[in-house]
Amino acid sequence: MKENTPIQEIQNPILDQNGVRLFIKRDDLTHPDVSGNKWRKLKYNLLQAKEEGYSTILTFGGAYSNHIHAFAAAGKLYGLKIIGMIRGEEHLPLNPTLSFAESQGMKLVYMDRTSFKNYRDHIPRLKEELGDFYVAPMGGSNALALKGVAELGEEINNSNQQFDVVCAAGGTGGTLAGLISSLDENMRVLGFPALKGGEFLYDDIRGFIKESGLKENVDWELITDYHFGGYAKKKPELIQFIEEFHQKHHVELERIYTGKMLYGVMDLIGKGYFSKGDRILCLHSGGLQINR
Ligand SMILES: *Cc1c(COP(=O)(O)O)cnc(C)c1O
């Protein structure tokens, strides 16, 4: 697992025209199967489970989630048994995420969508059925996850470059919460929710920070206009942007999180949203297995 991932500068005439500089924190290079923010969020949960003497971890997620994919691979690498509680019914053949998860030794258990909404209520029953386990939360966001993301924040704080704005995509908001509570106060954070109606993340992010006993170190806001219709919609202009970005800058993006964020950042740069001289750092939070 590679930490202290590199920061790469992007060269593009649009940046020069608008007087800004753009950098990418390459957390996609952490590990091919446990990439980006998922590793940051998993790390202390795995260590905690081991420390408490658990040999099994149960976690929850959607059938296509990067969280399930990353947890399965991390479990195998660290010698822990992982149970994946998957939202919805079983569909065979398994989709690529679940068939990968199973290949890593994850035990897949399904839960209907209604029960899944209150998944925590089912934990005691599951423990009776499956034996004792450590519970890692839905989407992997808890205080221990923020602790892992804070290490990413520290890497940015300690970089020999100075940044004015740090941008990251948001799903549950755990990653943004970790950045907001760990970055030095001279930076500000822009969050790009992947979902439509992403304003709900304001409360969720504040909640994660509070629950973790942390505080907001930096000014931050959400940019909610770049969801492209929702979680997994394939919009042609987004797909084209991702392809061009790859060709021009040799950085691969994906269409659920990092593609939308970088589309948004480039669009905002073109619209003069940033101040002259701003140094913008975008977090590449990984998730590239969806492209394979
Ligand atoms: C899961 C994921 C996110 C969202 O992270 P949250 O902490 O849930 O907001 C962003 N980018 C990628 C690539 C992801 O896999």
Side-chain angles (χ1 to χ4, degrees):
M1 223 59 65
K2 182 174 163 165
E3 296 183 3
N4 236 321
T5 51
I7 291 175
Q8 171 181 351
E9 183 161 14
I10 297 295
Q11 307 288 349
N12 188 310
I14 294 170
L15 304 172
D16 305 333
Q17 283 154 23
N18 290 277
V20 298
R21 291 175 71 182
L22 180 65
F23 301 81
I24 299 190
K25 172 74 170 159
R26 296 293 306 273
D27 248 29
D28 55 312
L29 303 176
T30 316
H31 185 278
D33 294 319
V34 198
S35 75
N37 67 342
K38 294 300 180 287
W39 168 244
R40 304 283 184 177
K41 298 204 304 182
L42 272 169
K43 178 179 174 184
Y44 286 103
N45 277 293
L46 288 184
L47 292 175
Q48 183 71 20
K50 281 207 154 171
E51 208 165 282
E52 290 179 20
Y54 287 97
S55 58
T56 305
I57 300 184
L58 177 128
T59 193
F60 300 80
Y64 287 89
S65 68
N66 292 346
H67 170 68
I68 291 293
H69 189 280
F71 233 112
K76 172 148 192 202
L77 288 166
Y78 287 84
L80 284 157
K81 252 178 39 202
I82 314 282
I83 304 169
M85 177 60 64
I86 309 301
R87 177 175 48 221
E89 258 84 88
E90 180 178 35
H91 291 286
L92 293 173
L94 293 176
N95 75 37
T97 303
L98 296 183
S99 91
F100 172 83
E102 205 172 62
S103 78
Q104 302 295 294
M106 183 181 260
K107 178 178 170 63
L108 300 173
V109 183
Y110 297 85
M111 187 181 276
D112 67 82
R113 282 163 192 275
T114 316
S115 312
F116 197 89
K117 284 195 185 123
N118 303 310
Y119 68 86
R120 292 204 162 270
D121 298 350
H122 299 269
I123 290 171
R125 175 179 61 82
L126 292 171
K127 285 194 173 178
E128 272 173 33
E129 283 171 23
L130 303 169
D132 202 12
F133 47 71
Y134 177 90
V135 181
M138 173 78 175
S141 295
N142 59 4
L144 290 169
L146 266 59
K147 183 174 169 186
V149 177
E151 294 184 343
L152 165 64
E154 285 304 315
E155 289 175 20
I156 296 171
N157 293 339
N158 297 332
S159 150
N160 45 25
Q161 301 274 6
Q162 294 257 347
F163 304 105
D164 302 291
V165 187
V166 176
C167 303
T172 64
T175 302
L176 285 163
L179 288 172
I180 290 163
S181 52
S182 66
L183 286 174
D184 285 343
E185 62 201 16
N186 54 330
M187 288 176 249
R188 64 195 174 95
V189 168
L190 294 184
F192 291 77
L195 291 174
K196 212 156 143 175
E199 288 81 10
F200 73 89
L201 281 188
Y202 276 110
D203 283 345
D204 289 3
I205 289 170
R206 291 191 185 112
F208 286 136
I209 294 173
K210 219 169 151 192
E211 267 167 42
S212 308
L214 299 168
K215 63 176 188 54
E216 298 176 21
N217 276 354
V218 299
D219 289 335
W220 62 281
E221 68 177 304
L222 299 174
I223 309 282
T224 55
D225 315 328
Y226 295 99
H227 53 74
F228 287 88
Y231 188 66
K233 299 275 166 28
K234 292 188 187 174
K235 287 283 158 71
E237 74 257 46
L238 177 61
I239 304 297
Q240 193 188 342
F241 171 82
I242 289 170
E243 277 168 14
E244 284 177 11
F245 200 90
H246 194 188
Q247 277 163 14
K248 279 191 204 144
H249 307 302
H250 311 288
V251 178
E252 189 184 354
L253 304 171
E254 46 67 52
R255 65 189 155 78
I256 300 185
Y257 296 106
T258 55
K260 292 175 184 173
M261 171 199 48
L262 266 148
Y263 185 106
V265 170
M266 294 303 283
D267 194 48
L268 290 173
I269 290 172
K271 289 177 171 161
Y273 174 89
F274 294 97
S275 308
K276 287 248 177 319
D278 268 355
R279 292 157 158 266
I280 305 159
L281 178 70
C282 291
L283 172 65
H284 195 320
S285 40
L288 295 176
Q289 82 280 345
I290 193 177
N291 294 349
R292 290 183 222 128

PDB file of all heavy atoms in Angstrom, residues 37-38 41 66 139 141 169-176 254 257-258 285-287, ligand 1:
ATOM      1  N   ASN A  37      -9.296   7.071  -1.655  1.00  0.00           N
ATOM      2  CA  ASN A  37      -9.879   7.390  -0.362  1.00  0.00           C
ATOM      3  C   ASN A  37     -10.380   6.141   0.349  1.00  0.00           C
ATOM      4  O   ASN A  37     -10.515   6.130   1.560  1.00  0.00           O
ATOM      5  CB  ASN A  37     -10.983   8.431  -0.523  1.00  0.00           C
ATOM      6  CG  ASN A  37     -12.180   7.921  -1.279  1.00  0.00           C
ATOM      7  OD1 ASN A  37     -12.095   6.915  -1.987  1.00  0.00           O
ATOM      8  ND2 ASN A  37     -13.296   8.585  -1.140  1.00  0.00           N
ATOM      9  N   LYS A  38     -10.633   5.066  -0.390  1.00  0.00           N
ATOM     10  CA  LYS A  38     -11.126   3.855   0.270  1.00  0.00           C
ATOM     11  C   LYS A  38     -10.033   3.283   1.179  1.00  0.00           C
ATOM     12  O   LYS A  38     -10.322   2.831   2.275  1.00  0.00           O
ATOM     13  CB  LYS A  38     -11.570   2.810  -0.753  1.00  0.00           C
ATOM     14  CG  LYS A  38     -12.775   3.249  -1.564  1.00  0.00           C
ATOM     15  CD  LYS A  38     -14.000   3.522  -0.703  1.00  0.00           C
ATOM     16  CE  LYS A  38     -15.209   3.963  -1.508  1.00  0.00           C
ATOM     17  NZ  LYS A  38     -15.107   5.335  -2.015  1.00  0.00           N
ATOM     18  N   LYS A  41      -9.829   5.417   4.302  1.00  0.00           N
ATOM     19  CA  LYS A  41     -10.950   5.223   5.225  1.00  0.00           C
ATOM     20  C   LYS A  41     -10.938   3.847   5.891  1.00  0.00           C
ATOM     21  O   LYS A  41     -11.449   3.659   6.986  1.00  0.00           O
ATOM     22  CB  LYS A  41     -12.278   5.449   4.475  1.00  0.00           C
ATOM     23  CG  LYS A  41     -12.376   6.880   3.944  1.00  0.00           C
ATOM     24  CD  LYS A  41     -13.786   7.368   3.715  1.00  0.00           C
ATOM     25  CE  LYS A  41     -14.589   6.515   2.795  1.00  0.00           C
ATOM     26  NZ  LYS A  41     -15.941   7.105   2.603  1.00  0.00           N
ATOM     27  N   ASN A  66     -17.487   0.876  -4.777  1.00  0.00           N
ATOM     28  CA  ASN A  66     -16.028   0.820  -4.654  1.00  0.00           C
ATOM     29  C   ASN A  66     -15.635   0.402  -3.249  1.00  0.00           C
ATOM     30  O   ASN A  66     -14.570  -0.184  -3.041  1.00  0.00           O
ATOM     31  CB  ASN A  66     -15.426   2.206  -4.948  1.00  0.00           C
ATOM     32  CG  ASN A  66     -15.580   2.605  -6.396  1.00  0.00           C
ATOM     33  OD1 ASN A  66     -15.889   1.767  -7.246  1.00  0.00           O
ATOM     34  ND2 ASN A  66     -15.380   3.878  -6.689  1.00  0.00           N
ATOM     35  N   GLY A 139     -20.343   2.659   3.519  1.00  0.00           N
ATOM     36  CA  GLY A 139     -19.512   3.669   2.864  1.00  0.00           C
ATOM     37  C   GLY A 139     -18.187   3.888   3.577  1.00  0.00           C
ATOM     38  O   GLY A 139     -17.359   4.667   3.139  1.00  0.00           O
ATOM     39  N   SER A 141     -17.456   5.404   6.338  1.00  0.00           N
ATOM     40  CA  SER A 141     -17.184   6.689   6.977  1.00  0.00           C
ATOM     41  C   SER A 141     -17.504   6.663   8.467  1.00  0.00           C
ATOM     42  O   SER A 141     -18.659   6.559   8.857  1.00  0.00           O
ATOM     43  CB  SER A 141     -17.981   7.799   6.293  1.00  0.00           C
ATOM     44  OG  SER A 141     -17.545   7.958   4.967  1.00  0.00           O
ATOM     45  N   ALA A 169     -14.292  14.852  -4.665  1.00  0.00           N
ATOM     46  CA  ALA A 169     -15.641  14.364  -4.930  1.00  0.00           C
ATOM     47  C   ALA A 169     -16.260  13.873  -3.624  1.00  0.00           C
ATOM     48  O   ALA A 169     -15.550  13.486  -2.693  1.00  0.00           O
ATOM     49  CB  ALA A 169     -15.576  13.224  -5.939  1.00  0.00           C
ATOM     50  N   GLY A 170     -17.582  13.883  -3.566  1.00  0.00           N
ATOM     51  CA  GLY A 170     -18.278  13.427  -2.366  1.00  0.00           C
ATOM     52  C   GLY A 170     -19.308  12.356  -2.666  1.00  0.00           C
ATOM     53  O   GLY A 170     -20.082  12.469  -3.614  1.00  0.00           O
ATOM     54  N   GLY A 171     -19.272  11.281  -1.872  1.00  0.00           N
ATOM     55  CA  GLY A 171     -20.315  10.253  -1.914  1.00  0.00           C
ATOM     56  C   GLY A 171     -21.064  10.311  -0.590  1.00  0.00           C
ATOM     57  O   GLY A 171     -22.101  10.943  -0.468  1.00  0.00           O
ATOM     58  N   THR A 172     -20.493   9.691   0.449  1.00  0.00           N
ATOM     59  CA  THR A 172     -21.050   9.838   1.796  1.00  0.00           C
ATOM     60  C   THR A 172     -20.583  11.135   2.445  1.00  0.00           C
ATOM     61  O   THR A 172     -21.171  11.574   3.434  1.00  0.00           O
ATOM     62  CB  THR A 172     -20.581   8.690   2.719  1.00  0.00           C
ATOM     63  OG1 THR A 172     -19.159   8.773   2.866  1.00  0.00           O
ATOM     64  CG2 THR A 172     -20.949   7.341   2.149  1.00  0.00           C
ATOM     65  N   GLY A 173     -19.495  11.701   1.951  1.00  0.00           N
ATOM     66  CA  GLY A 173     -18.961  12.935   2.534  1.00  0.00           C
ATOM     67  C   GLY A 173     -17.864  12.697   3.560  1.00  0.00           C
ATOM     68  O   GLY A 173     -17.297  13.652   4.098  1.00  0.00           O
ATOM     69  N   GLY A 174     -17.544  11.440   3.824  1.00  0.00           N
ATOM     70  CA  GLY A 174     -16.510  11.138   4.823  1.00  0.00           C
ATOM     71  C   GLY A 174     -15.140  11.686   4.435  1.00  0.00           C
ATOM     72  O   GLY A 174     -14.406  12.203   5.283  1.00  0.00           O
ATOM     73  N   THR A 175     -14.822  11.577   3.172  1.00  0.00           N
ATOM     74  CA  THR A 175     -13.522  12.068   2.713  1.00  0.00           C
ATOM     75  C   THR A 175     -13.447  13.587   2.851  1.00  0.00           C
ATOM     76  O   THR A 175     -12.451  14.127   3.338  1.00  0.00           O
ATOM     77  CB  THR A 175     -13.299  11.647   1.247  1.00  0.00           C
ATOM     78  OG1 THR A 175     -13.390  10.221   1.200  1.00  0.00           O
ATOM     79  CG2 THR A 175     -11.951  12.101   0.734  1.00  0.00           C
ATOM     80  N   LEU A 176     -14.515  14.263   2.438  1.00  0.00           N
ATOM     81  CA  LEU A 176     -14.534  15.721   2.577  1.00  0.00           C
ATOM     82  C   LEU A 176     -14.438  16.110   4.047  1.00  0.00           C
ATOM     83  O   LEU A 176     -13.703  17.024   4.409  1.00  0.00           O
ATOM     84  CB  LEU A 176     -15.803  16.295   1.929  1.00  0.00           C
ATOM     85  CG  LEU A 176     -15.752  16.322   0.394  1.00  0.00           C
ATOM     86  CD1 LEU A 176     -17.146  16.486  -0.202  1.00  0.00           C
ATOM     87  CD2 LEU A 176     -14.831  17.440  -0.091  1.00  0.00           C
ATOM     88  N   GLU A 254     -12.646   8.375 -13.731  1.00  0.00           N
ATOM     89  CA  GLU A 254     -13.836   7.522 -13.922  1.00  0.00           C
ATOM     90  C   GLU A 254     -15.072   8.413 -13.849  1.00  0.00           C
ATOM     91  O   GLU A 254     -15.008   9.550 -13.412  1.00  0.00           O
ATOM     92  CB  GLU A 254     -13.842   6.350 -12.935  1.00  0.00           C
ATOM     93  CG  GLU A 254     -13.527   6.674 -11.498  1.00  0.00           C
ATOM     94  CD  GLU A 254     -14.562   7.507 -10.814  1.00  0.00           C
ATOM     95  OE1 GLU A 254     -15.734   7.120 -10.864  1.00  0.00           O
ATOM     96  OE2 GLU A 254     -14.194   8.550 -10.236  1.00  0.00           O
ATOM     97  N   TYR A 257     -17.109   9.647  -9.860  1.00  0.00           N
ATOM     98  CA  TYR A 257     -16.624  10.656  -8.913  1.00  0.00           C
ATOM     99  C   TYR A 257     -15.617  11.627  -9.527  1.00  0.00           C
ATOM    100  O   TYR A 257     -15.873  12.807  -9.675  1.00  0.00           O
ATOM    101  CB  TYR A 257     -15.965   9.971  -7.704  1.00  0.00           C
ATOM    102  CG  TYR A 257     -16.901   9.129  -6.871  1.00  0.00           C
ATOM    103  CD1 TYR A 257     -16.864   7.738  -6.925  1.00  0.00           C
ATOM    104  CD2 TYR A 257     -17.816   9.723  -6.014  1.00  0.00           C
ATOM    105  CE1 TYR A 257     -17.720   6.969  -6.144  1.00  0.00           C
ATOM    106  CE2 TYR A 257     -18.670   8.965  -5.225  1.00  0.00           C
ATOM    107  CZ  TYR A 257     -18.612   7.582  -5.296  1.00  0.00           C
ATOM    108  OH  TYR A 257     -19.449   6.833  -4.528  1.00  0.00           O
ATOM    109  N   THR A 258     -14.432  11.090  -9.867  1.00  0.00           N
ATOM    110  CA  THR A 258     -13.331  11.995 -10.204  1.00  0.00           C
ATOM    111  C   THR A 258     -13.539  12.687 -11.554  1.00  0.00           C
ATOM    112  O   THR A 258     -13.109  13.828 -11.733  1.00  0.00           O
ATOM    113  CB  THR A 258     -11.998  11.221 -10.238  1.00  0.00           C
ATOM    114  OG1 THR A 258     -12.131  10.114 -11.141  1.00  0.00           O
ATOM    115  CG2 THR A 258     -11.648  10.697  -8.863  1.00  0.00           C
ATOM    116  N   SER A 285      -9.334  10.395  -6.097  1.00  0.00           N
ATOM    117  CA  SER A 285      -9.695   9.455  -5.029  1.00  0.00           C
ATOM    118  C   SER A 285      -9.757   8.010  -5.508  1.00  0.00           C
ATOM    119  O   SER A 285     -10.219   7.135  -4.777  1.00  0.00           O
ATOM    120  CB  SER A 285     -11.018   9.903  -4.396  1.00  0.00           C
ATOM    121  OG  SER A 285     -11.919  10.377  -5.377  1.00  0.00           O
ATOM    122  N   GLY A 286      -9.298   7.752  -6.734  1.00  0.00           N
ATOM    123  CA  GLY A 286      -9.181   6.362  -7.189  1.00  0.00           C
ATOM    124  C   GLY A 286     -10.443   5.850  -7.866  1.00  0.00           C
ATOM    125  O   GLY A 286     -11.086   6.575  -8.615  1.00  0.00           O
ATOM    126  N   GLY A 287     -10.765   4.580  -7.598  1.00  0.00           N
ATOM    127  CA  GLY A 287     -12.002   4.003  -8.130  1.00  0.00           C
ATOM    128  C   GLY A 287     -11.925   3.587  -9.585  1.00  0.00           C
ATOM    129  O   GLY A 287     -12.944   3.381 -10.245  1.00  0.00           O
TER     130      GLY A 287
HETATM  131  C1  LIG B   1     -16.200   6.264  -2.552  1.00  0.00           C
HETATM  132  C2  LIG B   1     -15.541   7.241  -3.426  1.00  0.00           C
HETATM  133  C3  LIG B   1     -15.687   8.629  -3.239  1.00  0.00           C
HETATM  134  C4  LIG B   1     -16.592   9.197  -2.187  1.00  0.00           C
HETATM  135  O1  LIG B   1     -16.042   9.152  -0.915  1.00  0.00           O
HETATM  136  P1  LIG B   1     -16.901   9.535   0.359  1.00  0.00           P
HETATM  137  O2  LIG B   1     -15.937   9.535   1.467  1.00  0.00           O
HETATM  138  O3  LIG B   1     -17.946   8.468   0.529  1.00  0.00           O
HETATM  139  O4  LIG B   1     -17.524  10.866   0.111  1.00  0.00           O
HETATM  140  C5  LIG B   1     -14.979   9.482  -4.069  1.00  0.00           C
HETATM  141  N1  LIG B   1     -14.206   8.996  -5.066  1.00  0.00           N
HETATM  142  C6  LIG B   1     -14.062   7.689  -5.294  1.00  0.00           C
HETATM  143  C7  LIG B   1     -13.228   7.237  -6.424  1.00  0.00           C
HETATM  144  C8  LIG B   1     -14.721   6.770  -4.480  1.00  0.00           C
HETATM  145  O5  LIG B   1     -14.582   5.443  -4.725  1.00  0.00           O
END
